[in-house]
Each structure stands twice: as C-alpha cells, then as structure tokens.
Amino acid sequence: MPRKRKLLAQLSALQSSSSSPPFGALGNVNAAPDGDSAPKSSKYFAVEKKTSSQLDADFFNQPCISLAKSFLGQILVRKLPDGRELWGRIVETEAYLGGEDEASHSKGGKQTQRNAAMFMRPGTLYVYQIYGIYFCVNVSSQGAGAAVLLRSLEPLRGLDAMRELRSTSRKGPTKLLKDWQLCNGPSKLCQAFGIDKAFDQRDLTQDAAIWMVPGQDLPGEEDVVATTRIGIGNRGEWSQKPLRFYLRGNRFVSVVDKKTEREMAAVGHFSCS
C-alpha cells in the first residue's frame, strides 16, 4: 500500500475508535498513565462534598441562647450510607449554658470524656445516651461547655426512610407513624435521622454525613415561644428559666406551653390564635 493511502487508513481507524468511547470509559479519565486506577487530584474532576449554601462556622459561633433561637427554621440534613438524604426543619431547641447552669452536663465547668464535645469549637455535635437506649444530639456554641439541644424537627424530605429508621429502633409490632410523630422529641429525631454515639464530636461545617442549610422562611421574634426546659428535674431556679424555644403554632413541636403562650399574647408578643 502506498505511504499516503496507508496514512489515511490509519487516521480513519483512529477517528472511528475515538468518536464513541464506551459508557464506562469516562469513569477512569483520571487514571495514571502507568495503569494505576487511583484518581489524581484535579479541580476539573473534584466532586463537591455538599451544598455550598450550608451554614458555616460563623453561624455557629454565637452565644448559646442566641444560637438556640437562630436554629429555629434552619434545616438539618442527614445523608445516609445508601445516598438518601433526610431533611428536617428545626422547630424546637433548648439552651444549656454550662458553668452555673445546674441542668447542664458541664455545670461548674467540669469537662469529662463524655461531655468533651461541649468544649470544642462551635458547631461540634455532642451526642449522649439516655436510659441506656436512646440518644440526644446537641450542638456546641460560644462559651466553654455551652451547647444547644435539638428537640424537634418538622420532616421535609425522606420521610419513608425516617419511618424505616424509627421502626427498626422500636420493639414489637408498631403502627405506621404519622408525619408529626417522626421527629417530635430529641430521641425520636435521633432515631429518625440515624444519629447515634458515632456522631459525637463531629463538625457540622465539615462532615459529609450531616450538616445544616439555611431555612427559606425564618421566624420572627413574635413567632418564638420561650419557656422552661423539659425533663431536667429539680435544678432550683434553673428549672424555671425560659431556655426552651419553639415555633408557635407548629404541630411538630414536642410539648406546647399554652400558659406561656397566653401570657405572651397578653403583653402583646403575638395575637391569640
């Protein structure tokens, strides 16, 4: 074959083989020339870990009471190992101030192996167990030993997965849980979101399995009820301090304080419904 015809034939074969690469071929575009399949670092093939709109360190870096209120209306996101995402709007919180707060796990400034997360940078998860069975999740704030308990969520996305997780955590035959029953309590929301002790000391600003994003319709001061915390026993004056915050009129709140709502309405904080 003449040299010119031979070159044309080779060019034609090359174009034919490269014009339609197999579907799976692009999965290894970052392979090393020596056949090593380990991907090389490149900004062109980097996969963003999670949404860029997530709440960052500056949001969490505020005083405990302020953070507890600021959480209301924000969205907690949990990515399960199978890739499904669970979304829940925060509708109820409690502030635990540390130091002189007699109801806090860090009262007196005491730091232990159990509560170490309460002394870490704002945005760190503090997960502890109650009754030897259930878990509660808190988020550290400004102030040594201060953290906010997440009490209730309004389920937004992944409700079927939440039901599955709640069902596996309950013993014996169970009825199908209604939407408002999925996350209306601190241990319930941990069950529904698959949060256990393995999440203790994780950073909400960096973790790939759990984070927060801004809510779309944040409440005003008139929408927030401030009342006493639940289940803390006799802690003197600290049992009566209004350090629990919830969205008035939201049916996903665990416990509604009608007396406080009437008192707030009487002084003009909001109108009676």
Side-chain angles (χ1 to χ4, degrees):
M1 180 184 294
R3 180 179 177 80
K4 183 175 182 180
R5 288 173 58 189
K6 184 177 181 179
L7 290 174
L8 287 173
Q10 291 176 337
L11 177 61
S12 177
L14 178 62
Q15 290 175 333
S16 176
S17 64
S18 61
S19 59
S20 302
F23 178 79
L26 293 180
N28 204 28
V29 291
N30 252 357
D34 60 0
D36 185 0
S37 61
K40 291 185 176 181
S41 176
S42 169
K43 66 179 181 179
Y44 299 107
F45 300 105
V47 177
E48 187 176 357
K49 181 175 69 173
K50 45 186 180 280
T51 175
S52 59
S53 65
Q54 71 181 88
L55 296 176
D56 59 18
D58 289 338
F59 172 83
F60 299 102
N61 189 23
Q62 54 181 307
C64 192
I65 293 176
S66 175
L67 184 61
K69 293 180 179 179
S70 297
F71 273 149
L72 298 177
Q74 311 294 355
I75 311 298
L76 180 67
V77 182
R78 166 81 162 94
K79 187 171 184 178
L80 299 177
D82 62 11
R84 289 181 294 177
E85 286 189 1
L86 313 178
W87 289 46
R89 182 176 183 234
I90 301 172
V91 298
E92 183 181 5
T93 62
E94 287 181 353
Y96 288 87
L97 311 183
E100 62 179 348
D101 186 346
E102 288 294 320
S104 176
H105 288 179
S106 58
K107 64 180 179 180
K110 184 178 181 181
Q111 183 174 352
T112 65
Q113 184 177 357
R114 181 196 189 201
N115 70 7
M118 301 181 78
F119 295 85
M120 295 180 178
R121 58 176 285 179
T124 301
L125 293 181
Y126 168 44
V127 181
Y128 63 88
Q129 198 168 26
I130 57 174
Y131 309 124
I133 305 174
Y134 306 113
F135 295 96
C136 295
V137 60
N138 306 255
V139 183
S140 65
S141 67
Q142 274 184 13
V148 177
L149 171 69
L150 303 184
R151 274 203 62 90
S152 297
L153 303 177
E154 177 181 343
L156 300 177
R157 184 186 302 177
L159 275 68
D160 287 342
M162 294 182 199
R163 287 189 176 88
E164 292 174 17
L165 289 164
R166 285 292 314 278
S167 177
T168 57
S169 300
R170 302 162 74 198
K171 296 181 179 180
T174 58
K175 294 181 179 179
L176 185 67
L177 292 172
K178 297 178 181 179
D179 293 357
W180 64 269
Q181 296 174 311
L182 291 172
C183 304
N184 62 330
S187 61
K188 292 178 182 179
L189 77 83
C190 281
Q191 289 179 353
F193 271 58
I195 298 172
D196 57 20
K197 190 64 176 178
F199 283 78
D200 187 48
Q201 299 187 18
R202 292 196 185 187
D203 189 335
L204 279 175
T205 68
Q206 298 180 6
D207 202 88
I210 189 166
W211 63 92
M212 285 188 188
V213 298
Q216 297 300 310
D217 186 20
L218 298 181
E221 191 69 28
E222 69 279 3
D223 301 314
V224 177
V225 178
T227 184
T228 55
R229 294 173 291 187
I230 295 173
I232 61 175
N234 183 12
R235 295 294 185 270
E237 64 176 326
W238 290 94
S239 298
Q240 303 303 317
K241 289 187 180 294
L243 295 174
R244 178 168 70 99
F245 309 96
Y246 69 83
L247 295 183
R248 183 178 67 97
N250 188 285
R251 67 192 183 101
F252 299 92
V253 170
S254 66
V255 180
V256 172
D257 188 337
K258 288 294 186 181
K259 180 175 181 293
T260 295
E261 290 189 18
R262 288 194 297 268
E263 292 173 351
M264 293 177 71
V267 297
H269 279 266
F270 46 69
S271 59
C272 291
S273 54

